[in-house]
Amino acid sequence: MQICFATNNKGKLQEIKTLLDRNFTIKSLQEVGCNEELPETRTTIEGNSLQKAEFVWRKYNVNCFADDTGLEIEALNGEPGVYSARYAGPDCNPEDNMVLILEKMKEKENRKAQFRTCITLILNGVVHQFEGIVKGEILYQKRGEHGFGYDPIFKPEGHEKSFAEMNMEEKNSISHRAKAVEALVKFLKP
Ligand code: IMP
């Protein structure tokens, strides 16, 4: 069975290919003829992953799935959430986003946060959604050099290291994205 992973992230594409056996051929967007920017204008993580998958399904008529992730901080009423990529403004980088979060969290005692990934699969026109969550806390300052995005300021529950202090293998064994992908893979090959 051929399924398109609606992402422009080569790392994510490679990761999923290693998790599925030969019964599934994962196609990139380019391989199904899609070279355009995917829309991502909804106000929820579920909505954005659905919007991206629907776009590819409708326009290119292929089975597909898309993911969307956000960091949800309890003391900030779930922010940055669906706005995680551009929390500090349209042209911001991950550093700007972390500086803003650390500033907003300066006086907060409640440090609880979670990363949440939603994957939407559209298989023969039927929508299926899968979720992966990792709970943890926001640190008072950045720690570690690995990873990307908010990894230096997030410490998962039950661990001493921040995500950015873990190597890729350690992070991938507990991460939100890994859990969502695991649920997807279990559904595709029970
Ligand atoms: P995306 O939906 O996977 O593109 O993620 C949206 C944004 O969430 C990214 O631009 C990052 O800022 C943040 N993010 C997603 N996953 C992670 C992660 O594993 N570590 C740190 N930040 C992440």
Side-chain angles (χ1 to χ4, degrees):
M1 185 195 297
Q2 297 201 350
I3 308 181
C4 170
F5 185 7
T7 181
N8 285 310
N9 184 317
K10 290 202 176 72
K12 287 184 188 175
L13 198 66
Q14 197 47 47
E15 184 183 280
I16 191 92
K17 280 184 180 174
T18 62
L19 291 170
L20 286 166
D21 56 31
R22 273 182 286 150
N23 291 327
F24 299 93
T25 309
I26 300 297
K27 298 272 182 190
S28 67
L29 284 167
Q30 287 74 22
E31 283 170 320
V32 300
C34 174
N35 292 299
E36 52 194 322
E37 195 73 26
L38 300 180
E40 242 181 301
T41 55
R42 302 279 169 82
T43 53
T44 61
I45 292 167
E46 287 78 4
N48 266 350
S49 73
L50 176 64
Q51 187 182 25
K52 288 185 274 190
E54 271 183 340
F55 181 84
V56 174
W57 164 254
R58 291 218 178 104
K59 215 158 167 191
Y60 299 91
N61 201 23
V62 286
N63 289 323
C64 63
F65 61 90
D67 71 332
D68 202 66
T69 295
L71 172 65
E72 300 174 325
I73 302 175
E74 203 170 275
L76 302 181
N77 301 317
E79 284 187 10
V82 71
Y83 305 109
S84 293
R86 280 171 282 278
Y87 193 45
D91 299 318
C92 69
N93 59 34
E95 181 63 29
D96 301 330
N97 287 333
M98 284 190 286
V99 167
L100 181 59
I101 300 263
L102 290 177
E103 177 57 31
K104 287 193 179 207
M105 290 295 290
K106 214 165 55 185
E107 310 288 323
K108 308 275 191 210
E109 271 178 29
N110 176 4
R111 315 292 300 181
K112 284 186 197 158
Q114 63 181 26
F115 273 112
R116 194 160 69 84
T117 294
C118 177
I119 293 179
T120 299
L121 166 72
I122 304 186
L123 201 58
N124 305 319
V126 182
V127 171
H128 306 269
Q129 290 196 308
F130 308 92
E131 188 178 67
I133 291 178
V134 60
K135 291 183 182 293
E137 63 186 69
I138 300 298
L139 297 167
Y140 285 89
Q141 55 200 26
K142 292 188 289 169
R143 273 173 31 191
E145 304 293 330
H146 301 295
F148 69 99
Y150 297 95
D151 281 349
I153 60 169
F154 182 82
K155 187 179 82 63
E157 212 171 79
H159 295 262
E160 288 309 313
K161 292 178 185 172
S162 76
F163 260 172
E165 289 173 314
M166 295 181 175
N167 62 36
M168 209 201 302
E169 208 173 60
E170 277 177 287
K171 182 186 163 189
N172 284 347
S173 70
I174 57 167
S175 87
H176 43 297
R177 202 166 11 261
K179 286 179 184 169
V181 167
E182 199 180 307
L184 169 75
V185 170
K186 205 167 157 194
F187 175 83
L188 288 173
K189 48 166 207 181

